[in-house]
Amino acid sequence: MSTSANSPSWVRTYTRDDATKYQIAYRSNNTWKNDANGRAVPGSFTTNLQVDRTAIDGGVTGGGVNATWTTAATRGPGANGIWDRKYLDDADTTLGFALPDASWSDLNDRNSNFNSQVSNISANAIAKYFKTLGFGRGSGLSTQAGAIREIARSQGSNNQGNPSEDAIGGNKTLIKELPEEIGAKPRDKYGSRYTYYYPVALKANRDQDKMQISVLKYKPRDIKGFKIAKSRDAGGRDGYTQRVLGSVFLPVPGSVTDSNNVNWASDSMDPAKLALANAFFQNVQKSDGQIEGLVDSLGEIAQQVGSESGDVKKGVAAMLTKAATGGSVLTRTTGSVVNPNMEMLFQGPQIRPFTFSWKMSPRDYEEAEMVKKIIRMFKQSQAVKRSKSLLFLESPNTYALRFLTARGREHSFLPKIKECALTGFSMNYTPDGNYQTYENSSMVAYEMTMSFQELEPIYHDEYTSLDQDRDESIGF
């Protein structure tokens, strides 16, 4: 028993010797054998290039609903990549070939777009058929790449085209890349055709909370005099919209935590240091701008405290003695120590870390491809960039993270997160403890873990900026 799959029709325009133009409609008809279990027999695939012969004879564009398709060229098992041109009538070869000469010439040119187009469209038609059988039943042919491989195995290699999802066929003209365009270039976008979603159904589900992660082009903060710009974008934390290179929507992970910490540390200052520091601090702040009378020696400190009496003089004398001789005279003679004036003092803010994890189990071909693209986006965007001269390393991309409620509103019961760096990205390709794949080699399950850190600390006034202190959200 055999099965067939037809591609959509497509049209090509040609020019006659008298400069007038004409069009020909084509279709790819693909057939293969099935075994006793209904599975495709490897190496049995045949591609038939068909034309709308009635339209050609009538001098009009073909391929419509009333098209009459005639097989014009065939390439079957064992063909070694060579097409067999068909006559209109095998019993009367004087009627000529079904395929016009211009088409035949293009078909046999291994470097032509037409040759590549036929192979790509044939592979798409085969993949579309096997995709309808359901995930796990496609014999490895439910992707264009898998179908391309089978065509090559069955029919031989004759420039089988570019097995990519962008080679869709239909009525689109497929143009291969020129050699000078294939070189490595900086990537500007991820998911140019659509935003990524996992699960795929999340795109249509407007009643589910979700997390959006956007890849941003890194932008340093400006330095003006003694100050650093408040934000990397003039528009504040939402101003990075113009820097988005791609986005993915994921379910809110099972563990969402935040921790905002501030550095405090103990600090001590004995009377001698206190006198020295206070004198220097006061002199630096003189209104006339002239710094005079700096205390820069133990002798000058002694002179300043000469008029003091009692404990002050005793304490300073003890510290000066220890500084000069190393001896703890005060403790030896009185059993006391100078009060170190120890105090916990603010040292600075800390940068918040965030770690999120998702387990992803593709349920069909489309979702498996989506997961692959999501993983690729994070892996590539996190990678360090090299300058064209290779003399410098440039910052990787940064990320915008947002928790969203149903209908896409900003979540007010989960923390807001500033622009982040992706400091760690790990993938577990066998999270269930054993190696399992689907027919297209996609893993049955993945576990993705990402560690982020905000680029800037959280400041008190930023809470006020959110809602003018109306407390409408948890904030950062």
Side-chain angles (χ1 to χ4, degrees), residues 221-268:
R221 292 168 67 182
D222 295 328
I223 299 177
K224 300 178 180 178
F226 290 98
K227 296 181 180 180
I228 297 178
K230 208 171 192 180
S231 171
R232 298 170 191 274
D233 296 286
R237 64 184 300 270
D238 294 325
Y240 43 53
T241 308
Q242 301 301 320
R243 294 193 280 128
V244 173
L245 306 181
S247 296
V248 59
F249 287 88
L250 299 164
V252 176
S255 175
V256 180
T257 63
D258 69 349
S259 177
N260 199 359
N261 300 303
V262 179
N263 285 330
W264 290 75
S266 61
D267 183 84
S268 300

Side-chain angles (χ1 to χ4, degrees), residues 209-472:
D209 291 0
K210 55 186 73 74
M211 184 177 184
Q212 179 185 10
I213 304 178
S214 298
V215 180
L216 306 178
K217 183 177 180 181
Y218 176 74
K219 180 181 179 182
R221 292 168 67 182
D222 295 328
I223 299 177
K224 300 178 180 178
F226 290 98
K227 296 181 180 180
I228 297 178
K230 208 171 192 180
S231 171
R232 298 170 191 274
D233 296 286
R237 64 184 300 270
D238 294 325
Y240 43 53
T241 308
Q242 301 301 320
R243 294 193 280 128
V244 173
L245 306 181
S247 296
V248 59
F249 287 88
L250 299 164
V252 176
S255 175
V256 180
T257 63
D258 69 349
S259 177
N260 199 359
N261 300 303
V262 179
N263 285 330
W264 290 75
S266 61
D267 183 84
S268 300
M269 185 171 285
D270 58 56
K273 291 180 181 177
L274 189 62
L276 179 63
N278 185 59
F280 186 89
F281 187 71
Q282 295 295 331
N283 285 326
V284 170
Q285 295 187 90
K286 287 183 178 294
S287 59
D288 57 7
Q290 298 297 319
I291 302 175
E292 300 173 352
L294 291 181
V295 179
D296 55 8
S297 70
L298 296 179
E300 291 182 68
I301 296 176
Q303 289 179 9
Q304 287 199 11
V305 299
S307 59
E308 298 288 344
S309 61
D311 285 348
V312 174
K313 194 168 187 176
K314 184 187 293 184
V316 174
M319 296 309 300
L320 293 177
T321 301
K322 185 172 184 178
T325 67
S328 301
V329 176
L330 182 66
T331 306
R332 286 179 177 274
T333 57
T334 67
S336 302
V337 296
V338 175
N339 183 355
N341 295 305
M342 184 178 290
E343 184 179 355
M344 284 289 287
L345 298 179
F346 170 66
Q347 302 294 312
Q350 290 187 14
I351 301 293
R352 292 193 303 178
F354 294 91
T355 299
F356 303 109
S357 182
W358 292 268
K359 185 175 181 181
M360 300 184 288
S361 302
R363 293 168 293 182
D364 54 31
Y365 165 78
E366 182 183 4
E367 207 156 76
E369 289 294 306
M370 185 72 75
V371 169
K372 178 173 68 177
K373 291 179 182 297
I374 291 171
I375 295 172
R376 170 60 182 267
M377 180 178 76
F378 286 120
K379 278 180 170 285
Q380 186 171 5
S381 62
Q382 184 204 24
V384 177
K385 300 175 183 178
R386 293 183 291 186
S387 64
K388 290 183 179 180
S389 66
L390 302 184
L391 290 175
F392 303 101
L393 295 180
E394 300 176 357
S395 300
N397 295 110
T398 52
Y399 303 82
L401 283 63
R402 294 200 306 159
F403 293 105
L404 303 174
T405 64
R407 310 296 175 181
R409 302 185 189 93
E410 193 100 18
H411 208 302
S412 62
F413 290 92
L414 287 175
K416 300 183 186 302
I417 302 176
K418 285 189 170 185
E419 186 172 339
C420 290
L422 181 55
T423 58
F425 180 82
S426 63
M427 289 297 308
N428 186 350
Y429 300 95
T430 56
D432 297 323
N434 57 340
Y435 178 78
Q436 290 181 299
T437 67
Y438 290 117
E439 62 185 27
N440 68 339
S441 299
S442 164
M443 299 297 111
V444 171
Y446 302 82
E447 188 171 32
M448 178 174 68
T449 302
M450 292 188 284
S451 298
F452 294 95
Q453 273 196 295
E454 289 178 318
L455 301 186
E456 302 162 11
I458 303 300
Y459 297 103
H460 181 277
D461 60 279
E462 291 177 318
Y463 284 87
T464 301
S465 299
L466 284 177
D467 54 18
Q468 301 305 308
D469 287 336
R470 291 191 295 269
D471 301 337
E472 294 173 348

